[in-house]
Amino acid sequence: MRGYRYLDHTATLQVDPQRCVGCGLCVTVCPHRLFALEGRALRVLDPDLCMECGACARNCPSGAIAVTPGVGCAAAILAGWVSRLLGRKAPTRCC
Ligand code: SF4
Ligand code: SF4
């Protein structure tokens, strides 16, 4: 799914720079490489790449990231389609 873009300006991702302590965990866990650290300052490179998997928010030690997981998650949508085609129960989580 790398390179996948969701609808522009619809991702729920929000970062509070005042709470960020520059640990870099979000940079490590984001599957789409949305984040970069410049020194201890966090940059969000391209919010429209966010799939709302929630990994960054779950791993942020200071609560600096808020995202509503699954709202725009393409992986979950695709998994749901495939599950329905195969007559299986759709997964409740994608990542
Ligand atoms: S929710 Fe997932 S895809 Fe979006 S910024 Fe966080 S880790 Fe990356
Ligand atoms: S995980 Fe949280 S505290 Fe760490 S760099 Fe990312 S936003 Fe900042």
Side-chain angles (χ1 to χ4, degrees), residues 15-62:
V15 178
D16 181 350
Q18 302 299 318
R19 299 181 76 165
C20 175
V21 297
C23 69
L25 279 173
C26 58
V27 178
T28 300
V29 301
C30 177
H32 280 206
R33 305 284 188 251
L34 256 81
F35 303 108
L37 274 177
E38 293 178 353
R40 293 180 71 84
L42 185 69
R43 284 185 54 215
V44 180
L45 301 176
D46 186 352
D48 292 329
L49 286 176
C50 178
M51 292 180 62
E52 299 177 328
C53 69
C56 54
R58 277 197 294 272
N59 286 280
C60 177
S62 62

Side-chain angles (χ1 to χ4, degrees), residues 75-84 88-95:
I77 293 168
L78 293 173
W81 286 345
V82 171
S83 296
R84 279 192 292 278
R88 296 181 185 154
K89 185 178 176 196
T92 55
R93 297 180 65 95
C94 61
C95 316

